[in-house]
Amino acid sequence: MKQGWEKQYFENCFKLKSGDNLTAKNMSENGNYPVFGGNGIAGYHNEFNLSGSNVIIGRVGALCGNVRHLTENIWLTDNAFRIVDFKFDFDHSFLTYLLNYKDLRSYARQAAQPVISNSSLKDVVLQFPKSLPEQQRIVSILDRAFTSIDKAKANAEQNLQNAKELFESYLQGVFENGNWEEKSLSEVCEISSKLIDPKKSKFQNLTHVGAGNIEIKTGRLSDLKTAKEENLISGKFLFDESMVLYSKIRPYLMKVVNCEFEGLCSADIYPLKPFEKVIRKDYLYHLLLSKEFTDYAIMGSQRAGMPKVNRKHLFAYRFKLPPIKEQQTIVRQLDALQAETQKLEAVYQKKMDDLEELKKSILQKAFAGELTQTKHYAIHDETLTLAAEPESIIQKQNG
């Protein structure tokens, strides 16, 4: 351990004290002071019971163990703790970083709701410099590093959103051409499949697709199992590679699959077979992902307790349809743009994951006494590298 640092059990450093009970009916939407419970702000109140600089910790709930440094007047409920009876000098910002790094949530006792206490945390080992100036130096470096990382993450998230919006805008534009022939969905596709018994031996090894296996907006499939593996009992639709699957439950989720294999699908999914001389399967797939169709599907599903698109409403949808050759051109463009969007999504997601890992690495160095000014500059350079933008056809088209 680095010279000048202390290594102590949690219980030897300070104690935790609960706030005061406050029921929801005693809170006020127009209250002057935020009310903090186990998961953060729970409401507002016209009185406060805590003021000045304090470190608070969620005691119970899904986010128990989350640590905050607050300097405002608040009401702290009995679902949260404040730190009292300090045995060592702690900069409150430093202590907040340290305790969040220790992941106090992982020490929760699993009752009806996860809960932490003085006893569940007493043996957590804390390592820290005894010098307040050294703690403040570390906080200064962490603040700057995390500000840079958070900015890089925000940029990555915004760029990802921009890429998605560009694809959706292009998709919407495709289906707004007024010079094509108007059709109803019933004129371009049908549901020809009948419900089958998945318990029959000839269906047992077929892959089953349920709504939960379909990724929102992308149609990617995950965690697939056979009818036998899932021990399916109720009736399912048989589908093949000539069809497009459309999940009729919660249409705002936009779960559509461009089928590439034979299998079984849930009765809550429509296996749509396109009339190949009228509409290409790929074009139908993109049509069902369009904003115009989704808005129409949502409108029709609102009449049910569970948002669900019935067949009558589905097949009554009207739209403008280009000739087959023009559909082919449009599909090629949409497929290329969608592939690029998904590629960028993977790149930006990796950037965000790498930035989170960088945060963990920085904290590990900080609380091992290894965070020097030189390493801060190295962290800054790594953050800039992760924040660099990839070249893409989307950027070129947008430019």
Side-chain angles (χ1 to χ4, degrees):
M1 186 171 61
K2 189 174 180 181
Q3 187 175 2
W5 281 57
E6 191 77 29
K7 189 175 184 179
Q8 291 286 347
Y9 288 117
F10 191 99
E11 66 175 352
N12 296 333
C13 297
F14 35 69
K15 298 296 181 187
L16 303 178
K17 183 177 180 180
S18 295
D20 302 312
N21 180 54
L22 183 67
T23 62
K25 69 178 183 179
N26 289 324
M27 297 183 198
S28 170
E29 289 183 5
N30 300 316
N32 296 319
Y33 307 104
V35 176
F36 279 84
N39 297 320
I41 294 180
Y44 292 86
H45 193 44
N46 288 321
E47 299 178 22
F48 64 89
N49 63 358
L50 198 60
S51 61
S53 178
N54 288 279
V55 178
I56 67 170
I57 305 174
R59 182 183 70 83
V60 61
L63 300 180
C64 72
N66 67 88
V67 187
R68 291 178 171 86
H69 174 212
L70 300 175
T71 57
E72 60 187 309
N73 297 336
I74 69 164
W75 184 280
L76 188 72
T77 75
D78 53 355
N79 285 330
F81 291 119
R82 64 187 175 100
I83 296 181
V84 297
D85 298 339
F86 286 90
K87 305 299 190 297
F88 295 89
D89 289 331
F90 281 103
D91 176 87
H92 285 181
S93 293
F94 174 86
L95 184 57
T96 302
Y97 275 123
L98 173 60
L99 295 181
N100 277 323
Y101 168 69
K102 298 303 290 187
D103 186 18
L104 303 184
R105 171 69 173 78
S106 64
Y107 296 91
R109 291 179 177 143
Q110 300 297 328
Q113 289 194 80
V115 61
I116 60 172
S117 63
N118 277 295
S119 60
S120 68
L121 299 177
K122 66 184 180 66
D123 293 329
V124 175
V125 176
L126 302 179
Q127 193 168 302
F128 53 91
K130 291 186 286 186
S131 163
L132 276 177
E134 176 61 10
Q135 292 180 21
Q136 291 161 354
R137 184 190 71 83
I138 292 171
V139 167
S140 177
I141 294 175
L142 291 177
D143 282 348
R144 293 199 301 274
F146 281 21
T147 296
S148 297
I149 290 172
D150 289 343
K151 183 177 179 180
K153 281 188 67 178
N155 287 341
E157 289 168 354
Q158 184 59 56
N159 286 329
L160 173 57
Q161 185 61 32
N162 290 345
K164 288 180 177 179
E165 287 177 359
L166 179 63
F167 174 73
E168 290 168 5
S169 173
Y170 184 82
L171 182 64
Q172 181 63 17
V174 164
F175 300 113
E176 288 179 347
N177 192 316
N179 299 321
W180 299 330
E181 185 179 1
E182 186 173 286
K183 297 279 188 182
S184 67
L185 204 63
S186 62
E187 295 178 274
V188 302
C189 66
E190 64 179 351
I191 299 174
S192 57
S193 298
K194 305 299 181 186
L195 288 174
I196 58 90
D197 182 357
K199 299 191 298 296
K200 291 185 177 180
S201 59
K202 62 180 178 179
F203 301 126
Q204 284 281 282
N205 292 322
L206 290 179
T207 299
H208 174 248
V209 176
N213 302 117
I214 307 172
E215 187 175 290
I216 295 170
K217 292 186 179 182
T218 70
R220 288 192 286 252
L221 298 171
S222 61
D223 301 322
L224 295 176
K225 296 179 180 178
T226 64
K228 183 177 181 179
E229 289 171 334
E230 289 198 34
N231 194 28
L232 297 178
I233 298 173
S234 60
K236 306 296 174 187
F237 284 120
L238 187 66
F239 69 84
D240 60 34
E241 59 274 10
S242 71
M243 300 178 186
V244 175
L245 302 184
Y246 179 75
S247 175
K248 64 182 180 181
I249 303 294
R250 299 185 181 91
Y252 54 83
L253 295 178
M254 301 171 66
K255 293 191 172 187
V256 188
V257 180
N258 197 350
C259 299
E260 296 178 346
F261 59 90
E262 183 183 17
L264 304 177
C265 69
S266 161
D268 286 327
I269 293 176
Y270 291 131
L272 299 173
K273 185 175 181 62
F275 302 144
E276 58 183 23
K277 292 183 179 180
V278 181
I279 190 170
R280 287 178 55 89
K281 184 185 74 156
D282 296 345
Y283 191 88
L284 176 61
Y285 164 75
H286 286 297
L287 175 68
L288 297 175
L289 284 171
S290 69
K291 183 179 183 302
E292 185 177 290
F293 172 78
T294 300
D295 289 344
Y296 171 84
I298 291 171
M299 180 181 65
S301 69
Q302 290 172 344
R303 290 189 287 270
M306 163 75 75
K308 182 186 296 188
V309 184
N310 63 46
R311 291 195 188 197
K312 182 178 179 180
H313 185 75
L314 176 76
F315 284 116
Y317 176 65
R318 302 194 67 80
F319 62 98
K320 298 295 181 65
L321 181 68
I324 285 287
K325 285 189 177 180
E326 194 168 348
Q327 290 179 38
Q328 292 173 338
T329 302
I330 291 169
V331 164
R332 279 196 300 270
Q333 294 170 340
L334 287 173
D335 284 347
L337 195 55
Q338 184 179 48
E340 182 66 17
T341 301
Q342 292 176 358
K343 177 182 173 184
L344 283 176
E345 181 179 353
V347 169
Y348 286 127
Q349 188 58 57
K350 186 175 186 307
K351 282 180 181 290
M352 289 184 278
D353 292 343
D354 288 346
L355 287 164
E356 277 302 307
E357 286 302 312
L358 179 58
K359 271 190 173 183
K360 292 177 184 177
S361 173
I362 295 168
L363 288 170
Q364 185 177 16
K365 288 181 172 65
F367 300 117
E370 299 174 1
L371 199 57
T372 64
Q373 195 66 30
T374 300
K375 287 188 177 178
H376 164 65
Y377 290 123
I379 291 165
H380 178 70
D381 290 343
E382 186 172 353
T383 304
L384 289 177
T385 300
L386 288 173
E389 293 305 311
E391 179 76 6
S392 74
I393 62 169
I394 287 180
Q395 289 173 320
K396 292 173 183 175
Q397 290 183 9
N398 207 23

